[in-house]
Amino acid sequence: MENVIVPAYNKNEEEEKKLILREYRALLRALKQRIKKGDKRLLRRAFEIAADAHKDMRRKSGEPYILHPVAVARIVVEEIGLGVTSAICALLHDVVEDTEVTLEDIEHEFGERFAKIIDGLTKISNVVDLKADTTIQAENFRKILLTLADDPRVILIKLADRLHNMRTLGSMSREKQLKVSSETSYIYAPLAHRLGLYEIKSELEDLALKYTQPEVYTEIAKGLKETRRDRTRYINEFIKPIKEELQRNEFEFDIYGRPKAIHSIWNKMRTKHVAFEEVYDLFAIRIILDSTPEREKEDCWKVYSIVTNFYRPSPERLRDWISVPKGNGYEALHTTVMGPGGRWVEVQIRSARMNEIAEKGLAAHWKYKEGQPIQQESKLDSWLHHLREILNNPDTDTLDFLQDFKLDLFTEEMYIYTPKGDMRVLPKGATALDFAFDIHSELGAHCIGAKVNYRLVPLSHPLKSGDQVEVISSSKQRPSEDWLAFVTTAKAKSRIKYYLKEEKRRIADDGKGILQRKLEHLKVPLSQHNVAELCNYYKKSSPLDLYYAIAVGNIDLKELKDFAVHGDKISQPAREQKTEARRAHAEEEQVKQKPAKGAELIIFGESSDKILYKLAQCCQPIPGDDVFGFITSGEGLKIHRTDCPNAAQLLAHYGHRIVKTKWAKNKEISFLSGVRIIGLDDVGVIQKITNVISGDLKMNMRSLSIDSKDGIFEGNIMVYVHDREELDELCHQLASLDGITNVERFESSETK
Ligand code: MN
């Protein structure tokens, strides 16, 4: 994909040959300690096959293509810490896809083990096409994850491949840069994170940012460069006393300051609404100890005690990932202390072993697992196990799964205990019901409540890290649709959806029976044609939906007598007259039919009798906002803002359920809207704000809450406005008040 074919003839051929060999030798050097008897021959063979297969190919940058697989192999060995097998597969990773070499050739030459990995690599190659049909995209994502559960090396080599492509993205077209970068931040960076490959994850994110938002990237990079000298001076000052004390205590260690990744600085600027100058933690201090596995925990705490003898720690920012490692295997002690000049500084303390796991994640994890007495199943293993379980469930809807799973990738973890004291890791925000599903699908399905720290709570109760939870279940309990609203884990969601579908199928069976009997009266069979004809007439997207609607009485089949019968086929009557049934199931249809094709739906801000709709709670649109209508499956038509956080997903996945929508001009109804203001706390500020709202603009305010801390106040105002124009005017006037630094609209549902 990323290569162009050029004639083999090239003046600099000799020079290039030298360069290629140099790179290959560097790979051998990196592998040195791990090369066993016979490995060298295999490596050489892989290199020769790849070099020969790619000999006429060049990358967009003009360099010989073979440099790419060699570079990928080096990343695999040097940065991920994998061995000879993976290096060989990396060398060969593009040959089956891009050249004449076949999988059989590989198997013949190297054996089945290698062929399997290469096959995996070929299958997932370039599959995440964001512009592709979302279903295909989701299926591909699932393929990647399945491979991961099968042999994680495939994913690790794929990550190395992606990293090298990102590092060399400069010579690609702008369009290609954007596509590859968004894929990278969409899937590869989160995967790297989940596998504990922190270095690679940060580099991928930084590079993706560099290409998707070049101005932002350059601004931060420039800022970092300009402040480097001050930073180095500060770090040295901070480190000095700690270093001396550690030496006095005869520790073997390494201590240094490490700048934060550009992407994470940008994240902070974005989420906290601050400028670069206001991000105070541009670096972290790292202390890496040479210690034995038996002593490392104790040693890390000793170092912690030394650090906090010099600098006061912030008690709520101590993270002990040594006693309880993160789900991806990460171990370390993190603390934030008050450094010289009153600046908060993060200090990370870990042993050399922990450091290797932090940098190389999964691979290092394997390395340390071998040769150790079998411990409890590591978290990463159980994560892979869990993944395999979900993926192998044939009824998982891939698209939904993709959404749910992505959420899992990004969320933080908390630790929940069973009544016996066993620990489970759940994403932050998980509820009692999530916990029940995490223990066992059946337990989740029959869960009626829980006791959290001995107190009875409902299913929807959100858990906190450290909670001890006892699940209460009943054999009579069944999962219901509303459960989906308060579970957050992919596992719980996919299991509930599965149960609901089963349930629907069971009910639909009755409907199928009813239909079959009715058709028998007409002396026609329940054939594919006849069912399709009925689905069409009753506007049902599948036979299952049709049977279900019949079973629950939404369709009574009265109109069946109007159908024409030709032999064993029925055909639907002409549809002029409005029949009973059509009205009965017409909430969706009404909306579809009212605005003629291509026309716009005009809404008035309040549901009229003609068209029923609701304003979406997630974005709370008001007249003047750009909006669209969305036909929901259970709640009729909903109006969303086009910049609603849910809009992209709705527009992308359900284009056919979108109704073009426009506001009617009227100023009779007012809408509750939220405005958040941030500014310097000063006497009379409330007075000034209320003056603008009630005095100048004569608006109705419903509530005003002010939270003030350290001289900064944050105010949330709920106010009634007629349309966007009024709201903009209000924001404008508030922003021009003295001392107000930030004014923005918000949706009340997002307030805490
Ligand atoms: Mn490649």
Side-chain angles (χ1 to χ4, degrees), residues 50 178 227 283 323 356 428 520 536 740:
L178 284 175
T227 52
F283 63 92
S323 311
E356 197 175 348
K428 246 189 187 150
E520 270 165 21
N536 193 325
I740 305 263

Side-chain angles (χ1 to χ4, degrees), residues 2 59 65 68-69 72 93-94 98 125 158 161-162 165:
E2 60 232 5
R59 305 195 83 209
Y65 194 85
H68 165 66
V72 173
H93 82 269
D94 276 334
D98 294 341
S125 183
K158 188 69 204 166
D161 181 27
R162 174 52 54 127
N165 285 338

